[in-house]
Amino acid sequence: MKKILAFAAAGLLTIGFVGCNSKSGGSSEAMDSLSMAFGDLYGAGMGQQLRSMDSAINMEEALKGMEYIANADTSKAFMQGLQMGMQIAQLYGGIEQQCGMSINKGLFMKHLKDALMKTTPMGQEEMMAMQSKIEPLLNKAMEQSPKAIANKKAGDEYMAKLKSDKGYVFTKSGIAYKVLAQGEGQNFSDSDIVKVNYVGRHLDGSEFDKSGEQPVPFNLKQVIPGFAEMIQLMKPGSKVTVVIPGELAYGPQGNRGIEPMETLIFDIETLGVDDTPAQPKLPKINAPVKAKTE
């Protein structure tokens, strides 16, 4: 139905432009009727479209945005500026979603304007250097989000309680593990692809992932740091429970279903090195592989 309305409106609009060649600038009864008909048609179609995207949408706010664009100066530069403004608004939303805090729009716009109005274009190398600064600054901002701070505190408290359990060993990096079975042979190295059975759990004990019926082959250079460190402390046949703090897990970015700076628990059993020449199949979303940065 939405497509039918959209095509009908587009078709009628084309006919109107072809047939309405008067330069008088005035308004006739016929044009008033056409204006009302178009308004009814577009209003019905857009209402359906907006509600299909968000059933609880604020129509008053949507209408303000619609009118602002529809009645705006149509010069090429102005319209390009509107398009860029939409991109900036999406950037604001993306940063807020990642960091859990709103960007400082005043500072952003001040620096944007200063850079935009420079008469000498920025070179490619300078642009690349500026881009390289973004990721560490983004990580630092995400570390200061309320959710990351709360998860870091919960993890630290959990680790502190483990120190009273003599069965746990703490490494210099900060992971804590308890050996359930020693295993035999040589320890794994970071160049190994290791077959692993595992269960991943949140601090409340709920599972977020597990290997299932078949062991998963992990390339130790592609997993989160705390998991890679633990595997290298193990031998074939070893079983451990390891607690990995957020900074050695998914860090301030988190992962799907895993919050920023969240401390994680893994039950791990190593079965040996996978010497199959084929590339190992990638594990599921929340397996302890390093999260990709966009």
Side-chain angles (χ1 to χ4, degrees):
M1 184 63 179
K2 287 183 293 181
K3 289 184 179 179
I4 292 172
L5 285 170
F7 282 121
L12 286 169
L13 189 59
T14 303
I15 293 169
F17 279 138
V18 171
C20 301
N21 293 321
S22 172
K23 302 293 184 182
S24 66
S27 177
S28 68
E29 184 178 344
M31 283 303 298
D32 288 347
S33 297
L34 182 62
S35 299
M36 288 187 287
F38 265 132
D40 290 338
L41 184 61
Y42 265 78
M46 289 179 176
Q48 286 188 353
Q49 184 176 0
L50 288 168
R51 289 187 181 93
S52 71
M53 293 186 291
D54 181 0
S55 61
I57 190 167
N58 185 325
M59 282 297 185
E60 294 293 334
E61 288 298 307
L63 189 57
K64 286 180 186 177
M66 233 184 283
E67 285 186 303
Y68 181 78
I69 297 296
N71 299 331
D73 176 357
T74 55
S75 69
K76 184 177 179 181
F78 186 83
M79 295 307 291
Q80 286 175 334
L82 287 176
Q83 291 176 356
M84 290 178 181
M86 292 294 290
Q87 294 174 8
I88 291 170
Q90 291 175 349
L91 173 66
Y92 288 164
I95 291 175
E96 184 171 357
Q97 185 177 17
Q98 279 192 285
C99 299
M101 296 182 290
S102 298
I103 193 169
N104 188 322
K105 295 178 182 179
L107 286 174
F108 175 91
M109 289 307 300
K110 179 184 183 302
H111 282 256
L112 181 147
K113 290 174 184 176
D114 289 346
L116 183 66
M117 298 306 290
K118 283 183 178 178
T119 54
T120 305
M122 187 178 291
Q124 187 67 22
E125 289 186 5
E126 191 176 356
M127 285 282 288
M128 293 289 288
M130 290 185 69
Q131 287 178 4
S132 67
K133 295 179 181 179
I134 295 295
E135 186 172 354
L137 289 172
L138 184 60
N139 284 339
K140 187 173 182 180
M142 287 189 291
E143 286 173 2
Q144 295 174 3
S145 72
K147 191 166 284 188
I149 291 171
N151 286 332
K152 177 73 166 62
K153 181 181 178 183
D156 289 346
E157 290 173 351
Y158 189 89
M159 284 289 193
K161 290 179 181 177
L162 287 185
K163 290 184 177 178
S164 62
D165 186 336
K166 295 181 180 179
Y168 275 90
V169 177
F170 287 78
T171 69
K172 289 182 179 180
S173 68
I175 68 171
Y177 67 94
K178 178 185 285 189
V179 177
L180 307 177
Q182 288 288 354
E184 296 180 352
Q186 294 184 337
N187 286 47
F188 300 103
S189 71
D190 67 350
S191 61
D192 288 332
I193 295 173
V194 183
K195 293 182 290 185
V196 174
N197 285 324
Y198 71 94
V199 176
R201 294 181 280 123
H202 300 286
L203 291 184
D204 64 5
S206 60
E207 292 183 11
F208 59 81
D209 191 31
K210 60 182 176 181
S211 53
E213 296 180 1
Q214 296 295 325
V216 178
F218 284 114
N219 182 333
L220 297 191
K221 293 182 179 179
Q222 296 178 354
V223 297
I224 57 177
F227 198 88
E229 180 184 355
M230 186 67 253
I231 297 292
Q232 291 173 77
L233 295 172
M234 300 172 72
K235 301 176 174 65
S238 296
K239 293 182 182 180
V240 302
T241 294
V242 60
V243 184
I244 302 177
E247 57 268 25
L248 296 174
Y250 290 100
Q253 302 94 343
N255 199 29
R256 299 180 204 183
I258 296 173
E259 295 186 348
M261 298 302 289
E262 186 178 353
T263 295
L264 304 175
I265 303 168
F266 287 95
D267 298 316
I268 303 172
E269 177 186 15
T270 52
L271 303 179
V273 173
D274 184 2
D275 52 9
T276 307
Q279 183 70 18
K281 185 179 179 181
L282 286 177
K284 295 181 288 183
I285 289 173
N286 274 332
V289 289
K290 293 177 182 176
K292 292 182 180 179
T293 54
E294 299 296 335

